[in-house]
Amino acid sequence: MTFVERFALWSDEQRAAAHKIPRLVEEHELEVVRVSFPDQHGLLRGKTVMAGDVASALADGCAITSSLFAKDTANRTVFPLWAPGGGFGIKAFEGAGDVVMVPDPTTFHVLPWAGRTGWLLADVYFADGRPVPFATRHIYRGALTRLAQAGYDYVAGLEVEFHVFKNDASRIAPEESGQPGVPPAASSLGILTRGYQYLSELRFDELEPAIEGLRRDIVKLGLPLRSVECEYGPSQCEFTFHAAPGLAAADTMVLFRSAVKQICRRRGLHATFMCRPQIPNVMSSGWHLHQSLRDARTGANAFAPGREAGILSDAGLHFLAGLLRHARPATVFTTPTLNGYKRFRPHSLAPDRAIWGQDNRGVMMRVIADAEGKATRLENRVGEPAANPYLYMASQVLAGLDGMRHRLDPGPSADAPYDTEAEFLPKSLAEANAALRHSAFFREAFGAEFIDYLLTIKEAEVARFLSEVTDWEQREYFEMY
């Protein structure tokens, strides 16, 4: 029996999709297929398989080193891999042993920008068929299962802001290849638009020649692109995507981010989903997550009020209250980088406290009510574009379910978002880490093993940052003292 058969890893839908892939490989004359899994940071890692070996990879997976789960954002190994249990307390992780990356056949795509190349997302398992507990696609799937047991499906739409710059420096010097590698210098980057004309057609036309190929390849890739917009800041744009259920929405985000960076690099551009780049006059980028629940039995929007008074159903109000109740510790999932917290500032179209409001862009949770109820949804405005979508969405599902289970009340709408008395969001990743460490709810919801694992990585990143001498410190103290 194959690895997939032995451990019954696929659904009927996945088995049907797997039968079609060899034919698609032949029809498109593919030479290779990239098999990648989203790691703890939401970045894709994997292997490139020759076309003749795709069937074998589908049936038995690909072996990859387990040490990939021990990396922080600089690709530094945080855990003592040579200790008993590899620093994880798990025998299979000792000595950077192998785990198995199993492709999900329903995620097959043909890459428009890379010649004769296919793409498959994968899930990661131990050799005995158990899911690796730190693989975030598994974690999100578990959250969706809990939601399904309550009778609902999760539906999410994406609004993603990012920057695209001209990159005049194509050569990478050896001294720039450290951990992390030195990024392109600001002096070698050119802006595509002057900015500060939000949704201006003039600015969009300035931007369009550079991102035309990007837009076309995203559509060819099969991602549900809805709109392309010129954002407020210089060289900043926003892509929005139609709402999709469950895993599909998170898969769209990781594929989109990876595609954007690859397509741009091939065109002499540099795309970044970093929240606030250190480039003069740029604006912060956010990731606004639109979400609703769908009644699994009827297909109706469970947030629409129906006969209930108000703009949300009781289920919607309780779900909203759960997101607000657990907002502070959830920022490790929604805003996982040190840089992302530089966006939380008052009067900036970004939130700074855990409040909600009806169609108000200054709050954390914007309630968008639709007259017919079909598009009624919650927009979480706290996220940054670098967030791991599986953890971001899992945190929303689990916190919202908690609100529904305990029938929590979100309180009144905040019409003055930067003056309303409410719990403030963390002002740093270190503060967010502390909130998550003390969250009994998320420790139970995600499991203590995963929370401790994630915090080990995030606290190591903070420690590395604090050990660096910054430009600010040099300016502030070097001459004065």
Side-chain angles (χ1 to χ4, degrees), residues 55-229:
S56 172
L58 284 165
D60 289 303
C62 304
I64 57 170
T65 174
S66 60
S67 64
L68 293 173
F69 289 97
K71 306 291 186 183
D72 66 6
T73 48
N75 285 296
R76 293 175 184 266
T77 300
V78 174
F79 294 85
L81 298 177
W82 316 114
F88 298 91
I90 298 174
K91 182 71 175 175
F93 279 108
E94 284 185 17
D98 281 345
V99 288
V100 183
M101 184 172 57
V102 177
D104 180 345
T106 65
T107 66
F108 180 78
H109 294 80
V110 176
L111 298 189
W113 64 89
R116 302 193 176 189
T117 301
W119 206 2
L120 280 164
L121 281 176
D123 296 300
V124 189
Y125 297 86
F126 290 123
D128 61 5
R130 289 177 299 136
V132 171
F134 311 129
T136 56
R137 203 165 183 260
H138 287 311
I139 289 169
Y140 182 39
R141 189 183 284 112
L144 293 173
T145 297
R146 292 196 205 182
L147 186 63
Q149 291 168 349
Y152 299 100
D153 298 320
Y154 183 72
V155 180
L158 315 179
E159 272 185 33
V160 191
E161 298 167 354
F162 59 101
H163 291 89
V164 180
F165 302 102
K166 297 175 186 175
N167 188 4
D168 297 326
S170 58
R171 185 179 67 87
I172 302 174
E175 59 268 22
E176 296 174 338
S177 59
Q179 287 182 282
V182 177
S187 59
S188 71
L189 298 176
I191 59 172
L192 301 179
T193 69
R194 289 176 174 80
Y196 307 112
Q197 289 188 21
Y198 177 52
L199 295 185
S200 158
E201 185 174 311
L202 177 65
R203 288 290 182 256
F204 179 80
D205 195 64
E206 267 188 294
L207 187 68
E208 208 269 345
I211 65 169
E212 173 190 15
L214 179 60
R215 166 179 55 80
R216 288 178 174 170
D217 280 351
I218 293 299
V219 171
K220 288 178 185 176
L221 189 59
L223 301 185
L225 185 62
R226 178 177 175 272
S227 71
V228 179
E229 302 171 13

Side-chain angles (χ1 to χ4, degrees), residues 140 144-145 147-156 244-246 291-303 319 397:
Y140 182 39
L144 293 173
T145 297
L147 186 63
Q149 291 168 349
Y152 299 100
D153 298 320
Y154 183 72
V155 180
Q291 53 193 318
S292 62
L293 298 186
R294 186 171 62 192
D295 187 299
R297 184 177 56 84
T298 66
N301 186 336
F303 286 176
F319 193 94
V397 169

Side-chain angles (χ1 to χ4, degrees), residues 242 282 409 412 415:
H242 290 285
V282 300
D409 181 357
D415 298 322

Side-chain angles (χ1 to χ4, degrees), residues 295-357:
D295 187 299
R297 184 177 56 84
T298 66
N301 186 336
F303 286 176
R307 295 180 181 178
E308 300 153 305
I311 59 172
L312 285 174
S313 66
D314 287 345
L317 286 170
H318 299 323
F319 193 94
L320 169 62
L323 300 185
L324 296 175
R325 168 71 63 86
H326 303 295
R328 279 180 54 79
T331 51
V332 176
F333 309 116
T334 66
T335 314
T337 74
L338 287 108
N339 180 258
Y341 292 83
K342 302 213 166 37
R343 177 173 158 264
F344 297 162
R345 48 182 72 181
H347 310 289
S348 65
L349 290 175
D352 69 346
R353 62 200 75 191
I355 52 175
W356 74 278

